Amino acid sequence: MKKTGGEIIWECLKREGVKHIFGYPGGAILPAYDALCKYPEIHHVLVRHEQGAAHMADGYARAGGGVGVAIATSGPGATNLVTGIATAMMDSSPIVCITGQVGSKLIGYDAFQETDITGITLPITKHNYLITRAEDLGPAMREAFWLAKSGRPGPVLIDVTKDAQQASCEFDWDEAEPGHRNCCLAASSAAPQYSDALELINHAKRPVILAGHGILLSGAMHEVRAFAERAQVPVAMTLLGIGSFPASHPLNLGMMGMHGEAWVNTAIQEADLLLALGMRFDDRVTGNLKTYAPMAKKIHIEIDQAEVNKNVKIDVALIGDLRQVLGDLLPRVHAGNREPWLSRIQELKGDSAVRDIQNLPDDGHLYAAHVVNDLWRETGGNAVVVTDVGQHQMWEAQYYKHDQPRTLITSGGLGTMGFALPAAIGAKFARPDAEVWVVAGDGGFQMTMAELATIVQERLDIKVAIINNGYLGMVRQWQEFFYERRYKATPLYSPDFVKLAAAFDLPGAAVRQRAEVVPTIRKAREHRGTYVINFCVEQEDSVFPMVPAGADLHAMIRRPSPLVETAQDL
Amino acid sequence: MTLVVQVENKPGVLNRVASLFRRRGFNIESLTVGHTEKPGVSRMTIVVDTDEAGALRIEANLYKLVHVQRVENVTSTPSVFRDLAMIKVAATPETRAEIMQLTHVFRARIVDVNSESLVIETTGAEDKIDGLVEILRGYGILEMARTGRVAMTRGPRPEASANASGQDDSLEDESVSYSV
Ligand SMILES: Cc1ncc(C[n+]2csc(CCOP(=O)(O)OP(=O)(O)O)c2C)c(N)n1
Ligand SMILES: [Mg+2]
């Protein structure tokens, strides 16, 4: 079948099962857009900034488990994707980005809107392609999809010259099948490392599972739960691991790391075995490596061998797909009784377990933690929550209890402000029946708020909670703790977000009192369509506990009193 | 550490490999690339200043590049290491004979002669070449070009040691098991 390069792009997307793509047109990608007229089954979402397109593709992938697709023109269109691609790379999110490129004859001549986007994205993609001939497009597209989701997932970019989009060639889907490259090795649960791992697990007195994003990516939730229950091992989660193990499970400890619960970090420091599942010992979770979990043997189950022994010296590593490796281990794990260890953890929780902030008296202040906790109760914990980056992100992680996988979508590795609103749009397309909430700061929301227009144009139903503290709060917190309260460049003017919503023809409300929180959340939920809530919260509130960057994990700055949530008492 | 890396000869592959070293903070001391006996496959010999753990990290990261087929750390494998140098030395009628004699001792060759200079070509292990360079320095080295190290393990090709994934045993740390 003869097809133009432009048609091949859509033909491949259609066959990959792609229904929605996020993009923005321009000269160098016009032939492809023109060919899209012949593919009405593919829905193109016009974004307001290409960064949004990449975040939408990312949100789509994270919420639905498929591959998200973004498309942009050459030059500025392509460079605007960069932050979104880097975000997806750091968080192993499978997206495919397609960019137009100037004609192949013009490459290297600084033609209008020429940018070396394959060069620029080299370190932030799993792989990328510069396609100058229509013939090469089919195989590249197929391989790109395969690469994006195989092994450790990640972003792949395909840069297609204008002439390659215009030229015609024979296209055969089957022939374009990628010759699968080295990525997957033969299983060998008989390997001695399996016995070593089992030996450590079965003899551990104080084990802790460190649950990471890999569990969600591998779909190993069931195996992890079965494993934890059988061996009676408590589970600590990374930020991106939230949802991989039910928050309401008795073995759940909560989040570890910089803003993790004190008892979680203490348990890690006291453990005699860490079982790291699909996580990479990021500096935000380990703190000072020299003093990290000093008594613990470490078992690492991980698909990316480059992560093994990268930050933390590992005793036994099992490289492979988590679901399979755990499945192999499971029958050989002894049913455990770790009563002393579990009661020790219970003891650690002590009064810090008074996280039931609902019962705190209303002192006339509105705290973000209350807002998030009320949101959790009102939505029954069933919403897909997409956060931005900052204090509100940490409060979400602490106070919204996620029982289901893929219900917290957040930029972890890169910490990209501006992620929430566009990622939520992608999530809504992936899961149209889910209740999707954005939880964003006043700073980050303003970075990509133009995507409200996309929401309106697409008639989406996304609830937006802006946690408005009048500051770039997380940075302000650092200034408070480490720079003697010199609040340089962190106080933040914001427009009236309710009026802003009105300008997009969207309803909204501002909330200043604690008593208004629940009624307003209910009103937003009853409204069919997008609703914007401006929660004007306590301005100088801080996230506790906090392990200062690079400090020992057990050296946490604690909430001055477990019953007090605010920096007032600091 | 000396790594021998087989890569698909695709545009930009050298850039991808070099970029990886830069991005991960490793300093390349020398890098040579050339064709191999297989069409479409190039071979790089990379000398990098790092320790065993660093080399393992580099290897694991190299395998993440789509175009990398095989990585071998030959640092402690019995291997032949060679470097080629061309050295242009100032030579007067008085010193020429002496230089030629030294060249002979080092089993190097003279490939160009003129009234003021000589060009000496030599291949060998780097320390041998370093020795020659030291000796010649006294006469005045006008120009020098060295290829950097190329390496090959001794004995038949270690094809068998490459498992299904194309990964060779040298990556296999005792404590690491590979599955699916
Ligand atoms: C694009 C980007 N720029 C800068 C930062 C650094 N940064 C991290 S958190 C933060 C403050 C975020 O402020 P806001 O969105 O109001 O959220 P809050 O912390 O107040 O909840 C900043 C500036 C970042 N993470 N991303
Ligand atoms: Mg703020």
Side-chain angles (χ1 to χ4, degrees):
Chain A
M1 203 180 0
K2 241 187 158 51
K3 291 212 175 297
T4 66
E7 289 163 357
I8 291 173
I9 292 175
W10 305 114
E11 185 66 32
C12 289
L13 291 180
K14 184 178 121 186
R15 292 184 187 238
E16 293 288 352
V18 174
K19 303 224 159 42
H20 308 281
I21 63 153
F22 309 94
Y24 210 92
I29 194 72
L30 257 186
Y33 268 88
D34 192 43
L36 179 55
C37 298
K38 296 187 190 150
Y39 290 84
E41 59 272 60
I42 296 178
H43 172 60
H44 177 270
V45 177
L46 180 67
V47 303
R48 292 300 180 273
H49 185 293
E50 291 86 349
Q51 178 187 349
H55 289 328
M56 287 177 209
D58 188 347
Y60 180 90
R62 294 194 206 208
V67 176
V69 181
I71 182 163
T73 191
S74 67
T79 54
N80 273 351
L81 290 172
V82 167
T83 300
I85 296 173
T87 305
M89 183 70 175
M90 285 295 261
D91 288 350
S92 311
S93 187
I95 66 172
V96 169
C97 295
I98 298 162
T99 49
Q101 180 55 281
V102 300
S104 55
K105 298 273 181 325
L106 294 172
I107 287 182
Y109 288 87
D110 305 318
F112 179 63
Q113 294 193 331
E114 178 188 355
T115 292
D116 174 17
I117 196 63
T118 45
I120 289 172
T121 58
L122 197 74
I124 53 166
T125 49
K126 253 185 105 171
H127 191 56
N128 62 24
Y129 302 82
L130 170 59
I131 301 297
T132 56
R133 302 176 335 137
E135 291 80 2
D136 299 335
L137 205 38
M141 291 285 297
R142 287 200 70 171
E143 191 174 74
F145 269 81
W146 179 78
L147 278 172
K149 60 192 173 196
S150 71
R152 177 177 180 178
V156 180
L157 179 133
I158 308 178
D159 195 27
V160 190
T161 60
K162 196 168 183 181
D163 49 327
Q165 297 166 47
Q166 287 161 328
S168 296
C169 69
E170 278 302 321
F171 172 71
D172 185 323
W173 171 256
D174 296 323
E175 260 176 40
E177 180 166 7
H180 286 192
R181 299 172 184 271
N182 61 335
C183 128
C184 299
L185 331 172
S188 61
S189 51
Q193 291 84 2
Y194 274 73
S195 322
D196 295 349
L198 284 159
E199 177 85 9
L200 288 176
I201 294 163
N202 290 335
H203 288 100
K205 296 249 171 331
R206 299 184 309 278
V208 176
I209 287 175
L210 308 180
H213 193 197
I215 298 170
L216 299 169
L217 293 169
S218 158
M221 286 75 68
H222 174 77
E223 286 74 9
V224 171
R225 186 173 174 163
F227 189 98
E229 285 174 353
R230 188 182 170 91
Q232 285 296 297
V233 182
V235 180
M237 278 176 259
T238 67
L239 175 63
L240 292 190
I242 288 175
S244 65
F245 189 78
S248 58
H249 196 285
L251 286 169
N252 169 49
L253 289 177
M255 184 170 73
M256 64 180 101
M258 182 176 274
H259 291 297
E261 305 295 356
W263 65 82
V264 187
N265 290 340
T266 310
I268 289 170
Q269 294 300 76
E270 292 186 4
D272 66 352
L273 177 69
L274 294 183
L275 190 58
L277 308 181
M279 57 83 72
R280 59 186 172 86
F281 294 102
D282 184 83
D283 53 77
R284 298 281 121 146
V285 314
T286 61
N288 183 0
L289 286 169
K290 291 206 181 68
T291 57
Y292 180 69
M295 289 173 282
K297 295 272 185 196
K298 281 114 187 160
I299 300 176
H300 200 175
I301 309 185
E302 170 56 54
I303 198 151
D304 179 359
Q305 60 191 16
E307 291 299 345
V308 173
N309 286 321
K310 186 178 82 173
N311 296 336
V312 167
K313 180 83 188 99
I314 296 303
D315 296 285
V316 181
L318 303 173
I319 304 293
D321 179 64
L322 197 51
R323 192 169 165 192
Q324 168 139 13
V325 174
L326 277 182
D328 289 344
L329 285 175
L330 202 51
R332 295 157 70 188
V333 173
H334 297 172
N337 173 6
R338 307 203 202 265
E339 215 21 76
W341 176 225
L342 295 178
S343 21
R344 167 69 186 143
I345 287 171
Q346 213 48 49
E347 185 188 319
L348 287 173
K349 282 189 179 176
D351 23 302
S352 18
V354 186
R355 274 272 164 162
D356 188 8
I357 58 170
Q358 288 304 316
N359 298 326
L360 293 179
D362 185 350
D363 62 356
H365 296 265
L366 179 61
Y367 300 114
H370 282 138
V371 173
V372 172
N373 208 244
D374 284 346
L375 182 63
W376 165 62
R377 284 171 187 247
E378 287 302 308
T379 55
N382 291 319
V384 172
V385 184
V386 187
T387 81
D388 218 80
V389 170
Q391 292 183 313
H392 64 278
Q393 178 188 33
M394 293 300 116
W395 281 314
E396 203 289 342
Q398 294 177 340
Y399 292 101
Y400 196 106
K401 315 284 178 211
H402 292 269
D403 276 347
Q404 300 298 325
R406 299 184 184 276
T407 55
L408 170 58
I409 294 175
T410 192
S411 166
L414 201 67
T416 308
M417 283 173 70
F419 174 79
L421 191 64
I425 295 174
K428 187 71 190 175
F429 276 106
R431 296 189 33 202
D433 298 330
E435 176 177 352
V436 176
W437 276 83
V438 167
V439 173
D442 42 344
F445 182 74
Q446 289 186 68
M447 282 198 169
T448 51
M449 64 188 179
E451 301 302 345
L452 281 176
T454 310
I455 288 183
V456 176
Q457 187 164 348
E458 295 294 331
R459 298 167 195 276
L460 297 175
D461 178 353
I462 294 172
K463 314 302 181 194
V464 181
I466 301 167
I467 307 298
N468 186 347
N469 52 11
Y471 280 104
L472 300 175
M474 187 56 93
V475 181
R476 186 209 58 75
Q477 179 172 341
W478 284 48
Q479 289 172 328
E480 176 182 331
F481 289 8
F482 313 119
Y483 296 88
E484 294 166 328
R485 275 199 151 95
R486 288 187 296 276
Y487 293 165
K488 185 73 197 161
T490 45
L492 180 72
Y493 162 83
S494 291
D496 180 330
F497 290 118
V498 179
K499 282 193 194 154
L500 180 86
F504 291 93
D505 249 341
L506 295 171
V511 173
R512 292 189 174 78
Q513 305 289 323
R514 201 176 146 194
E516 298 164 3
V517 175
V518 169
T520 312
I521 290 174
R522 289 194 181 151
K523 206 159 148 198
R525 296 187 72 219
E526 279 155 19
H527 176 73
R528 289 165 62 97
T530 293
Y531 197 97
V532 177
I533 310 177
N534 181 18
F535 289 102
C536 301
V537 299
E538 192 62 20
Q539 297 211 322
E540 289 190 53
D541 199 1
S542 291
V543 183
F544 293 103
M546 177 175 189
V547 182
D552 304 338
L553 195 58
H554 48 272
M556 284 161 278
I557 303 176
R558 299 290 295 273
R559 192 175 281 104
S561 143
L563 286 171
V564 178
E565 288 292 330
T566 116
Q568 276 182 336
D569 310 84
L570 198 92
Chain B
M1 294 282 155
T2 304
L3 302 175
V4 173
V5 185
Q6 275 192 17
V7 297
E8 281 174 55
N9 184 8
K10 291 277 171 63
V13 64
L14 175 61
N15 189 15
R16 286 178 200 278
V17 171
S19 165
L20 187 155
F21 280 78
R22 177 190 54 78
R23 146 136 165 66
R24 297 280 173 190
F26 290 101
N27 192 20
I28 297 179
E29 283 181 4
S30 81
L31 187 157
T32 64
V33 206
H35 297 296
T36 61
E37 76 286 1
K38 290 184 215 136
V41 177
S42 298
R43 180 179 172 115
M44 299 180 177
T45 307
I46 305 171
V47 182
V48 55
D49 180 16
T50 186
D51 55 11
E52 196 65 48
L56 280 167
R57 259 187 82 203
I58 293 171
E59 268 184 77
N61 278 292
L62 278 169
Y63 273 121
K64 298 212 287 184
L65 297 180
V66 166
H67 293 141
V68 168
Q69 297 179 330
R70 181 188 168 83
V71 185
E72 222 180 328
N73 182 350
V74 299
T75 314
S76 43
T77 318
S79 303
V80 185
F81 299 112
R82 287 292 179 269
D83 191 355
L84 180 147
M86 291 198 282
I87 308 156
K88 188 180 286 175
V89 200
T92 58
E94 296 81 63
T95 58
R96 182 175 294 131
E98 212 174 303
I99 295 173
M100 290 175 81
Q101 204 178 351
L102 283 168
T103 305
H104 188 72
V105 171
F106 274 86
R107 295 207 185 82
R109 298 195 300 147
I110 309 264
V111 290
D112 181 64
V113 184
N114 104 2
S115 57
E116 290 159 41
S117 66
L118 293 170
V119 175
I120 299 164
E121 176 209 291
T122 179
T123 56
E126 283 142 312
D127 52 349
K128 177 192 135 183
I129 297 180
D130 291 343
L132 177 60
V133 169
E134 268 326 297
I135 298 269
L136 293 175
R137 220 177 271 287
Y139 299 94
I141 294 179
L142 303 174
E143 221 179 313
M144 177 166 78
R146 287 177 73 159
T147 56
R149 186 186 299 175
V150 290
M152 189 169 283
T153 53
R154 294 180 187 276
R157 268 195 67 79
E159 204 79 73
S161 73
N163 65 22
S165 69
Q167 281 153 359
D168 68 90
D169 297 341
S170 59
L171 187 63
E172 279 190 29
D173 182 315
E174 275 277 281
S175 62
V176 182
S177 134
Y178 302 91
S179 81
V180 181

